[in-house]
Amino acid sequence: MAVTPARRKSPRRAQIEAAALYPLDWLEERSGLVGAIKYFLFRRVPRDTSWAQTLGSASLTAFLVQAITGVILAFYYKPDPDKAYESIQIITNDLTLGWLVRGMHRWGASVFIILMFLHMARVFLYGAYKYPRELNWIVGVLLLTLGMAEGFTGYLLPWDQTAYWATVVGININGTAPFLGPFIAQFLQGGAAIGSDTLSKFYSIHMLVLPGAIAGLIGLHLYLVIRLGVTSPPWSPTEAGRERAPEPPSTNGREGLIRPSGRGGSNGE
Amino acid sequence: MSSQGEKPHVPPPSLWPIGFAVGIACILIGLVVSWPVAAVGAAIAIAFGFLWIRDVTGSVREPVQAVEPETRRVADTGGAPKALEGREAMPPMSEEEIAAYPRSTFLSAATLGLGGVIGGIITVPVLGFAVLPSFTNQKDQSVELGPLENFAEGQFVIATYLEDFEIGEVTRRTVFVRNNGLLEDQPSFTILFSRCVHLGCPVQPNGLVYDEQKKTVGEKRVDLTPSLVTGFGCPCHGGQYDTEGNRTAGPPVRALDRAEFSIRDGKLWLGQFYSVGNVESTGARARIKKYDHATPGVHVDGPEAWLYPVEVPG
Ligand code: HEM
Ligand code: FES
């Protein structure tokens, strides 16, 4: 109800603005997506959220970096026992900026895992896994597991000695699981021993199965974050999960002017 | 919390799925172990599956009987209903009748059921293709290691070969072959597989390796390198083995795997691998506790072996 005298826009300016907004309006009218994104970006969060709550978004960014650099690496990588090592050498040494994209993907993998752990630590320390957010914790655990499986399957792809023997050991660790272990190991290596199918199987899991599953689960994770809201820290003076209490009316000699309490109300309406 | 007359929101859990799962498990185990077990499993699965389906569709089937009075009543109003206009054209239904006519319930059940069948028809073969090739048609290895003269008595020869020549380098394997001389006029060989039985790294010979005496024999181009070996050591986590393959230190859980052998036309042929609990005595007189070839890290004897009851086919 603020009556700031709106400065008249020149008709030309109004026209340009309308033209610029037209595509957005078109989209909004047909999908509601603009409103949804606005809701997502400008939703209410507790007052005392801090940098700690950005670790989830940081994990998301790391995942997106992995997805994009991974797609580009796949342009040049060849998942064939005779060519894999060589194609990695070509990416690193010959192709323009290949070293950079491969480096981003390789180091980014560790960053992604570390960020997930830091994010998990913040959720744990803030008690943010408690009712009603248990399900989101479980989704998070799945994301962590799938993220580590990405690390395991991706490690084989350079197809050098470290990659090969680390994977042999990793597969055989799976093989020692009780009852089904030997079956899991044989499934992973695609036969009684590591062979030509192992590499392409790991490649397929690494670039199709797991990223798809992770992307889907991130969607669910974020849906739950939006639906349930972000937890304020345990030391927060305001109660978590409640609407903010109305501002205490200031009473410096103007009692008569106090408005009935409403939402917010401190921004000089 | 329960107020009077309030029905529970969900039906009580049914136990049939458990029986069904047991049946499926029997089928799967039976496929590996023996056909009769699979047949019993199939019978169990079908029986419990039927009971389960009957259980879950109960809510759909039973109310359908209540449909009858409704259709009757329409007919009983005297021949064809008069062509009335507006709301009257449709005789008002009582609440009970509306509830008694769960066409939508039937349709959603049918949609789900059909969708499930279609999904199953597509998924089952695809899943089968994803899993089964790793377990079926595994080739038996049989590699010629060359003439017997290359194996001096009492000495380990390191033999490196390609298990599958077509596939190439990725199937390169190494075995340590020792000629134990004759036992009751029969030749005796000890053939140890280099795959560490901790977690599968390649064990290395401890001692002298005469690289300059390396030979390549046969059309499969097997490399033979004589050596003077005092034991074997694993580079990954330090597992150590003696010359019979028994573990002497480190994390491995059994003795090194061995291979069977045969002699054809004066040439040594490598046969199937097998796993070994442990070996008593040495050389030709060794008494070997022999088991089916097992995954590294898996116990083949003792109570720990109970954790791996089902053998992997292939
Ligand atoms: C792919 C990895 C992950 C991504 C992209 C991701 C993303 C996010 C984002 C953007 C948030 C919003 C709040 C914040 O940033 O702190 C969040 C919250 C949450 N995350 Fe994750 N997360 C991931 C992994 C995990 C893991 C491993 C766990 C724990 C096992 C977890 C459990 C939670 C929980 C319980 C919340 C709600 C916290 C609250 O309401 O304050 N997440 N996540
Ligand atoms: S793999 Fe040989 S000691 Fe671990």
Side-chain angles (χ1 to χ4, degrees):
Chain A
M1 275 146 265
V3 229
T4 31
R7 252 206 280 132
R8 259 273 152 73
K9 288 174 190 159
S10 72
R12 196 181 160 70
R13 196 188 148 88
Q15 229 175 7
I16 294 174
E17 255 178 40
L21 286 180
Y22 180 78
L24 284 184
D25 286 341
W26 189 92
L27 191 67
E28 171 67 1
E29 196 178 339
R30 283 155 187 82
S31 66
L33 275 179
V34 179
I37 289 170
K38 271 193 187 154
Y39 175 79
F40 171 58
L41 292 177
F42 302 106
R43 70 195 194 279
R44 298 167 70 97
V45 296
R47 245 190 175 172
D48 33 20
T49 43
S50 66
W51 285 101
Q53 272 93 342
T54 61
L55 287 165
S57 314
S59 316
L60 176 62
T61 312
F63 174 72
L64 293 177
V65 169
Q66 290 309 96
I68 293 166
T69 53
V71 166
I72 297 167
L73 286 174
F75 291 172
Y76 307 105
Y77 175 74
K78 303 195 169 56
D80 178 307
D82 294 331
K83 300 203 190 104
Y85 178 76
E86 206 194 334
S87 69
I88 292 271
Q89 296 310 309
I90 290 173
I91 290 172
T92 318
N93 300 324
D94 300 348
L95 296 174
T96 308
L97 290 181
W99 59 272
L100 181 64
V101 175
R102 181 178 173 216
M104 286 169 77
H105 198 73
R106 199 176 170 95
W107 293 100
S110 304
V111 171
F112 177 48
I113 303 276
I114 292 169
L115 282 172
M116 273 199 287
F117 270 108
L118 290 177
H119 168 56
M120 189 173 169
R122 118 67 194 140
V123 169
F124 180 74
L125 293 174
Y126 281 41
Y129 53 85
K130 293 178 191 172
Y131 176 85
R133 299 186 179 82
E134 303 96 319
L135 185 60
N136 219 14
W137 177 269
I138 293 169
V139 175
V141 171
L142 288 176
L143 281 169
L144 186 65
T145 321
L146 293 180
M148 297 206 284
E150 275 286 53
F152 177 56
T153 49
Y155 202 80
L156 177 66
L157 305 182
W159 203 240
D160 53 15
Q161 290 291 321
T162 331
Y164 185 90
W165 294 110
T167 304
V168 166
V169 168
I171 286 178
N172 286 326
I173 290 175
N174 281 285
T176 59
F179 304 107
L180 281 185
F183 288 88
I184 298 170
Q186 189 151 331
F187 169 73
L188 284 176
Q189 62 199 9
I194 289 205
S196 59
D197 288 346
T198 318
L199 183 58
S200 38
K201 179 175 277 187
F202 270 52
Y203 186 51
S204 161
I205 294 176
H206 181 77
M207 68 172 309
L208 298 169
V209 181
L210 294 174
I214 290 177
L217 283 174
I218 288 179
L220 180 59
H221 199 70
L222 291 185
Y223 165 74
L224 288 174
V225 167
I226 296 165
R227 186 185 160 92
L228 302 173
V230 174
T231 327
S232 39
W235 53 85
S236 167
T238 45
E239 261 183 296
R242 300 280 157 83
E243 278 292 315
R244 213 199 304 164
E247 297 279 303
S250 85
T251 54
N252 38 10
R254 300 192 293 158
E255 278 88 347
L257 298 174
I258 296 168
R259 285 166 292 119
S261 64
R263 294 168 132 229
S266 61
N267 46 4
E269 293 171 272
Chain B
M1 288 290 278
S2 69
S3 62
Q4 263 195 340
E6 201 180 279
K7 284 188 200 144
H9 296 280
V10 268
S14 153
L15 291 180
W16 304 131
I18 297 178
F20 183 67
V22 170
I24 297 290
C26 281
I27 297 181
L28 292 180
I29 293 174
L31 288 181
V32 179
V33 181
S34 73
W35 288 105
V37 179
V40 172
I44 297 177
I46 290 172
F48 280 96
F50 174 74
L51 290 169
W52 185 14
I53 289 172
R54 209 180 62 152
D55 211 19
V56 289
T57 55
S59 57
V60 187
R61 284 179 290 109
E62 274 151 33
V64 171
Q65 284 152 3
V67 166
E68 264 178 336
E70 189 234 6
T71 43
R72 278 299 121 70
R73 186 139 20 113
V74 175
D76 286 349
T77 46
K82 270 182 250 160
L84 293 173
E85 273 174 55
R87 308 174 100 253
E88 297 299 311
M90 217 166 89
M93 286 199 212
S94 72
E95 216 152 278
E96 213 179 311
E97 281 173 297
I98 293 168
Y101 201 78
R103 195 177 311 186
S104 61
T105 319
F106 168 76
L107 284 177
S108 41
T111 311
L112 280 181
L114 262 177
V117 169
I118 295 171
I121 289 173
I122 296 167
T123 322
V124 169
V126 172
L127 275 186
F129 179 50
V131 174
L132 293 181
S134 302
F135 298 94
T136 49
N137 304 327
Q138 299 294 317
K139 279 186 202 149
D140 285 351
Q141 74 160 0
S142 143
V143 178
E144 191 216 292
L145 296 182
L148 292 184
E149 308 84 89
N150 292 324
F151 302 94
E153 197 172 322
Q155 195 188 32
F156 269 109
V157 174
I158 305 165
T160 306
Y161 62 95
L162 297 182
E163 188 176 276
D164 190 324
F165 222 64
E166 254 91 82
I167 296 177
E169 201 53 37
V170 67
T171 64
R172 185 169 287 283
R173 314 271 181 256
T174 297
V175 290
F176 305 109
V177 186
R178 185 183 58 199
N179 184 349
N180 298 324
L182 296 180
L183 177 71
E184 291 153 11
D185 288 343
Q186 291 293 316
S188 160
F189 281 86
T190 298
I191 304 181
L192 300 175
F193 185 22
S194 76
R195 189 180 67 164
C196 180
V197 291
H198 175 225
L199 291 171
C201 284
V203 298
Q204 306 295 316
N206 300 332
L208 283 177
V209 177
Y210 301 113
D211 276 321
E212 67 289 349
Q213 296 178 27
K214 180 159 129 182
K215 269 192 212 174
T216 305
V217 300
E219 28 176 315
K220 295 290 177 69
R221 313 200 54 72
V222 177
D223 288 335
L224 299 179
T225 315
S227 67
L228 201 66
V229 172
T230 54
F232 302 93
C234 179
C236 285
H237 320 99
Q240 296 293 325
Y241 306 87
D242 66 17
T243 48
E244 290 304 319
N246 280 318
R247 184 195 81 109
T248 53
V253 296
R254 53 180 206 243
L256 283 177
D257 294 339
R258 294 186 175 219
E260 280 156 3
F261 68 93
S262 57
I263 291 165
R264 302 179 213 162
D265 305 331
K267 288 180 180 149
L268 181 66
W269 282 75
L270 196 62
Q272 292 308 296
F273 286 125
Y274 58 91
S275 289
V276 175
N278 76 320
V279 181
E280 277 168 34
S281 184
T282 56
R285 311 213 154 262
R287 280 200 306 285
I288 301 161
K289 294 231 179 65
K290 189 172 168 180
Y291 297 89
D292 286 321
H293 199 209
T295 314
V298 163
H299 292 256
V300 290
D301 53 7
E304 294 100 327
W306 300 341
L307 290 176
Y308 311 101
V310 188
E311 209 212 312
V312 185

